[in-house]
Amino acid sequence: MEDRKGSTVVVNKVLAPKPYDLLADQLREAILGGDISEGDALPTERELVEQTGLTRGSVREALKLLASEGLVQTRPGRFGGNIVTLPGKVEIANSLSRYVRGRRLPLRTIHETRDVLEPALARLAAVHRTAKDLETMAHLHQQLIDSVGDFQKFSRTNLRWHTAVAHASGNEMLVAALEAIAYGVAVSTTIDEYDTPETRQQVIRIHAEVMAAIEAGDGQLAERRMRQHISATHARVSDVEADVPMSDDE
């Protein structure tokens, strides 16, 4: 009779998912898949407990998880409840901003991002801009001219102008990417190397050229002029090596 040897197979520890994760997964898929529409109310906590057999604590954790992802908003009152929402530009921008802040990205990274992003935004703006977009850019451009003697105000207006060009592109994902690094952009254009009357006049001139290309609907020209603008900006501060804070609370 043969002796049976013990098995040498190693079985890994089985990690079962938490109940609230399973419920959150199910609700998330229903929301993103369109089975539950934005603005609809989810079943109440009591109804979810009855339907799933989970504890109220697990149901609440699932709802908290979805709320942190921007998929559910709790509204108080008689006609409130857990209302389905969909992530928007603000949520995307906040998520990207947390990434760049947490990583303490250097100024060089901000420059490289702008080198890729802003010329493309200008090109798209030339294609998709509306009369309102053109009016907004022109208004901010005049404010830029009026604030040429006030460097801090000039820098804030400059950032708002670049953001207006981004919005004119009609691409919310790219707008969110620019807004995520907006404070870093502001910091990079308020250092001493950027603070000269000559530089401000150059900015005003190239902004006017970019706007003219956008208004004419010439995407290639708008892209080329914005690339020249961003490259010139970065050349002025190329010797600066610093970590750029991503919000004014740092």
Side-chain angles (χ1 to χ4, degrees):
M1 192 173 188
E2 292 185 11
D3 291 335
R4 293 191 177 182
K5 295 181 180 180
S7 174
T8 59
V9 175
V10 177
V11 179
N12 294 326
K13 184 177 180 179
V14 177
L15 299 176
K18 293 180 175 63
Y20 67 80
D21 279 332
L22 294 174
L23 176 57
D25 287 344
Q26 185 175 342
L27 292 173
R28 185 186 301 107
E29 287 304 311
I31 293 170
L32 297 179
D35 297 326
I36 307 176
S37 300
E38 184 175 16
D40 287 351
L42 292 177
T44 64
E45 286 185 7
R46 177 179 296 180
E47 291 170 338
L48 287 172
V49 167
E50 293 174 352
Q51 292 174 16
T52 63
L54 299 178
T55 64
R56 178 160 292 203
S58 291
V59 168
R60 286 178 177 172
E61 286 300 316
L63 294 173
K64 285 182 183 178
L65 182 57
L66 293 175
S68 72
E69 297 172 358
L71 296 176
V72 170
Q73 182 180 62
T74 301
R75 297 178 185 172
R78 181 178 177 184
F79 300 104
N82 295 297
I83 309 301
V84 171
T85 58
L86 292 176
K89 178 170 57 64
V90 172
E91 286 77 19
I92 297 172
N94 287 342
S95 178
L96 286 171
S97 182
R98 284 192 294 270
Y99 173 78
V100 293
R101 289 178 62 189
R103 295 290 180 178
R104 301 295 301 177
L105 298 181
L107 186 58
R108 172 185 56 78
T109 302
I110 304 300
H111 287 178
E112 290 172 349
T113 302
R114 294 187 72 195
D115 285 340
V116 174
L117 190 60
E118 294 216 50
L121 285 167
R123 174 173 51 80
L124 291 172
V127 176
H128 300 297
R129 88 286 186 275
T130 64
K132 180 64 176 176
D133 292 326
L134 294 173
E135 180 183 340
T136 299
M137 283 184 280
H139 176 69
L140 289 170
H141 184 66
Q142 185 58 51
Q143 287 189 346
L144 202 65
I145 295 171
D146 295 340
S147 63
V148 71
D150 183 337
F151 180 48
Q152 294 300 322
K153 184 176 180 181
F154 183 90
S155 296
R156 290 193 299 270
T157 306
N158 176 56
L159 180 59
R160 290 172 59 201
W161 182 88
H162 280 270
T163 303
V165 173
H167 280 280
S169 75
N171 188 306
E172 289 193 7
M173 181 71 77
L174 295 180
V175 173
L178 182 66
E179 291 184 347
I181 62 171
Y183 190 76
V185 171
V187 170
S188 72
T189 55
T190 52
I191 59 179
D192 291 341
E193 288 82 354
Y194 202 76
D195 184 13
T196 68
E198 294 80 13
T199 295
R200 280 172 251 166
Q201 290 297 336
Q202 289 171 8
V203 168
I204 289 171
R205 185 174 64 254
I206 190 62
H207 278 202
E209 293 175 356
V210 172
M211 284 194 306
I214 291 174
E215 185 172 7
D218 191 332
Q220 290 184 343
L221 182 59
E223 181 177 14
R224 184 166 66 252
R225 286 177 172 172
M226 182 64 86
R227 180 171 289 109
Q228 292 170 347
H229 175 37
I230 300 301
S231 297
T233 298
H234 296 168
R236 297 185 190 100
V237 294
S238 59
D239 294 332
V240 177
E241 292 293 338
D243 287 341
V244 177
M246 289 300 142
S247 77
D248 54 9
D249 60 1
E250 295 189 47

